[in-house]
Amino acid sequence: MVAATPLCHTARVTGAPAVPAVPTVPQRPGAGAVVLTARDVHKSFGKVEALRGINASVPAGVVGLLGPNGAGKTTLLRLIIGLESADIGDVDVLGWPMPSAGLQVRAEIGYMPEDDCLFPKLNGIQQVIHAAQLCGLSRVDAFSRAHKALDMVGLGEARHRPASGFSLGMRQRLRLAMAIAHGPRLLLLDEPTAGLDPQGRDDMLGLIAEIGAAGTSVLLSTHVLADVDAVCSDVLLLSKGRIGFCGAMEKFRASTGGERWQIDVMGDPALLHDALKKAGLSVWMDAHLVGVRLDAPDHGLMWKIAADHGIAVRGLWPVEEAISDAFMRHLRLDDPARERTASSSLSSGAP
Amino acid sequence: MNRPNDPAERPFFAPTQFERHRGPRVDENRSVAQLARFFARRTASGFGPIALLFTSLLAPMALWLYALLRVQGSATIGAAELGVAAGQEAAFVVENFGYFFQAMTVWVLLVHAALTAPQIAADARAGALLLYFSRPVRPAGYLVARVMASAGVAAIGTSLATIIVVVGHAHVFGWTLPAGALEASRGAISGAAFFPVAFMLLFGAGLLICVASALAAHACSSLVHRGGQPALLYAGAILASVGISWAGQLTWGRTSLARAFDLHHALQAPYFFATRLLDPVDAPPASMIDGAIGLGLWAAIVAGSWWILHRFLSNPPLSRGRA
Amino acid sequence: MTAIVQLDRTTRRFGPHVAVLDADLTLGPGVYGLLGPNGAGKTTLMRMMAGLIRPTTGTITWLGGHKRRARELDNAIAICPDGEQLPPRETPLELLTLLLRLSGVSARDAGERAEAALIDLGLKEELDRPIAQLSRGQRQRVKLAQAFAIPAKLLLLDEPLNALDPVWRLKVSERIKATAGSGTCVIVSSHVLAEVEAVAERLILIFKGRIVAAGTHLEIRELLDERGAGLSITATEPRKLAAALMAHGAVTSTRVEDDILYVDADDMQTLCKALPPAVVASKTQVWEVRAQGDDLVSLFHALADEVR
């Protein structure tokens, strides 16, 4: 099922490029472009094995953390924050070993929980200032950064009202502001778009892209594949406590060879379909879209045919595997009979 | 045509570039103190808490009114006008201090029931614990900050009242008690040291009460989280112990061991032991065994509360509902 | 097509606040996606269609001409509401059995059907556990089970995929399509536009209480086109292409940003018709063409300006 849906095409959200950020805390040697390293990590809760031998090297950038319920996503996030420690194996976050370097790491990461968490009885701006101060900022720094963070997420005058009175969308933005106010190097987001309306989702994804472009790495844990499609450069997929996939978004989707295209026309698509077929190209119909196989030299031919027949072309794009199909495909690969040992990959390399 | 992702066209805010923080960071010890100050400000903010703190002055006012009643008709207030026989001054003062101290203990328990008991429960309900522990805050640091803040707020009231009471008595009886005044008490203190020692005892014991009952109130807060339940648990436990103690006293007599099991009484045990320095003859509790049990209960309250809180914080409820 | 539910100038007010204004809809079998920002009136509209609240003015007619929520309709309308409203101490099996019995199913059948519905949604292990102990995703599936357990003619689903993981999102989407295929009218309200489009054949757009558009997405697309035209084109030589398009006279403005050519015009048809000859004339390679604002978020923006 590869039909594109023009009405909901979300152009890939890219943030404006920013001045490359310089970290203030000295990085441990070897931290480089990797934000998270897991070596043979096992974690159980009683009889339930949440993580069964995770080996991964997660690169900087906006990384989507995917997986069915029970796959170990929440456990992994808690290991990164230091709320749990691995039974076996090592976890390094931003070069620091967890959980021993828990305090240093928590000062450098931001966490936006899925749950509706607030400090009781504070108004919006106080929430963010308190959150920033807890990460070690002085009162003066926390004050100015809190206001900037709230500006960025779009909470205006509402920041002076009690946070308990905020609507869902406002609370979500507030939690994001609390997570970014102290300027973390790694941002962990757990279902940031849950419950937001389409405009709110769009705003949130735009913010995430902007934050990613500013040099902060983002680990986006979500069930909504469309969000991952919109902002993530890399994907980490967990299934039943193991890694299903760890690598770049381009590699997550199956390669279709780059030769299959879809064309959206105004009026009857059969006209274009028949004309292309007559010209000897391989064509098919995908709902109302014309699918065609175009090698590099065929593009010119296709446009000429369209021009000759007076066809109005409103869309043209290469066919990509639907992200949901890619997801299901990678899940099925997680077969206990095939142990994935070294599945780490940086954006460039992977088989 | 509108491109909603174009930052320049977003409503509400100026397109701020997201920047990383380049300033200095506060070290851990200062951060615990900072957190304690934050908790203290939140505890003592609002009309209710401030009004409650002012009621700490009720005990000094009551003593003052009592003195005024005893000196009816006289223009000055002195030992003779108050009807205190020569040589009995120290005993009288110690007795007054005893009443004052009992009143202060009740006050501290009320303050903790009203202001302290809801705190950790409120954090647990609001999901704030997850916010704290996903930041560089150690559970022990959080706990120390909480106890420092709530004990500190109560201590403001007890200190103020203690100062007023001690200074008032010193003013009436003279800052240095003559040797004769101490005769009846046969204490080990010299006249010049009497009021300073008394002040330190009251002040120190007041602080201990504030800390011990704060710990107990926080422990109740960590056990139950809904609405007014922590305060009810706290007050209920104390009242239940009082009830059991009185029942025991009715059955077996007033000066029996039963008296020692009263939690409110137990909290005062260290002070009353210490006042033997000032007046060994008349210092309650009547027997060493009562006193020892009281001290033991006191230690149990403190240790038990600490243990409950430690268990709670090593596995705190971080999510408001299961994910 | 027999209308399963029909709304005629239906309005619902709550005091001075108008939640839904003059809704006119005729819905038959199939999947309808109900889309709109928060506070637009989606929940109120769904509740009216479920018969839970009555319209202030106007009428709602269900199958066979029922103007009120009659007993005969109990077994024909099912709703899966938004929000966490499940009783904590009951088990899923107890809850569903009770709900089915309230819908008029006999005691013997109710138990069997409840169990079947829950197992269908993967809750075999959770049949006898109190609902408070279930995860969010499992609770959502309990809500869905109670909606699917009745062989309804009208099925109203408010955020049905909320809290579900991607696997269950796909399974439930398939289930929705299958249910519609057997003659049910399914109305799905969701904020994740991609998922709604994957499942719905027709869309209903609601904004500030008014239904601003209804139809297949091709029909709605025509509405978009009426509001102005624009294309974004990724090409090897965008400026040459821009020049060629300007030469054809079809465009009002062009701009190139990050090697992408953005073109605006008065009329979509003219613009799109002019594109192939322009590409041929400029001899550039074109890698992607997308209609500008060809997404529902932009449509809402545009319609929002109009309604204001």
Side-chain angles (χ1 to χ4, degrees), chain C residues 229-231 233 241-255 261-267 270-272 274-275 278:
Chain C
L231 292 175
I233 305 167
L241 182 57
L245 280 168
M246 299 283 278
H248 274 266
V251 305
T252 51
S253 73
T254 65
R255 79 174 187 278
L261 170 64
Y262 298 99
V263 177
D264 289 321
D266 288 324
D267 178 45
T270 327
L271 173 61
C272 294
L275 181 61

Side-chain angles (χ1 to χ4, degrees), chain C residues 205-225:
Chain C
L205 275 64
I206 183 167
F207 188 83
K208 287 205 176 146
R210 266 176 256 243
I211 295 183
V212 292
T216 62
H217 72 248
L218 285 176
E219 286 163 11
I220 289 180
R221 202 163 72 177
E222 281 168 20
L223 273 177
L224 279 167
D225 294 343

Side-chain angles (χ1 to χ4, degrees), chain C residues 45-59:
Chain C
L45 188 64
M46 289 191 118
R47 285 194 187 149
M48 284 202 291
M49 288 200 273
L52 295 172
I53 57 180
R54 285 216 286 269
T56 321
T57 56
T59 54

Side-chain angles (χ1 to χ4, degrees), chain A residues 1 4-10 66-69 73 114-116 169 191 194-199 201-202 222-226 261 264-267 288 296-297 299-300 303-304 306-307 310-318 324-325 327-328 331, chain C residues 36-38 135-138 141 162-167 169-170 174 177 190-195 197-198 203 216-218 220-221 224-225 231 268-269 271-273 275-277 279-280 284-291 294-297 300-301:
Chain A
M1 180 180 57
T5 48
L7 258 188
C8 93
H9 154 71
T10 7
L66 299 174
N69 275 337
K73 291 191 341 243
E114 180 183 6
D115 286 326
D116 205 0
E191 301 286 354
L196 295 179
D197 67 5
Q199 182 63 61
R201 305 182 75 85
D202 212 48
T222 182
H223 287 320
V224 183
L225 298 175
W261 298 78
D264 192 5
V265 299
M266 300 191 69
H288 62 279
H299 277 265
W303 285 108
K304 184 152 193 324
I311 291 172
V313 173
R314 65 181 288 150
L316 169 79
W317 49 78
S324 48
D325 291 337
F327 179 84
M328 296 303 286
L331 276 189
Chain C
N38 282 337
S135 70
R136 245 184 247 176
Q138 288 167 333
R141 283 186 270 146
N162 207 8
L164 297 180
D165 70 16
V167 177
R169 292 177 109 103
L170 290 170
E174 295 298 319
K177 286 200 276 206
S190 171
H191 287 318
V192 186
L193 305 182
E195 288 170 348
E197 285 209 307
L203 302 171
T216 62
H217 72 248
L218 285 176
I220 289 180
R221 202 163 72 177
L224 279 167
D225 294 343
L231 292 175
M268 197 61 161
Q269 179 78 20
L271 173 61
C272 294
K273 212 158 172 184
L275 181 61
V279 172
V280 172
T284 55
Q285 278 272 45
V286 173
W287 301 121
E288 191 167 305
V289 176
R290 297 268 182 190
D294 195 9
D295 60 281
L296 281 163
V297 177
F300 274 125
H301 270 298

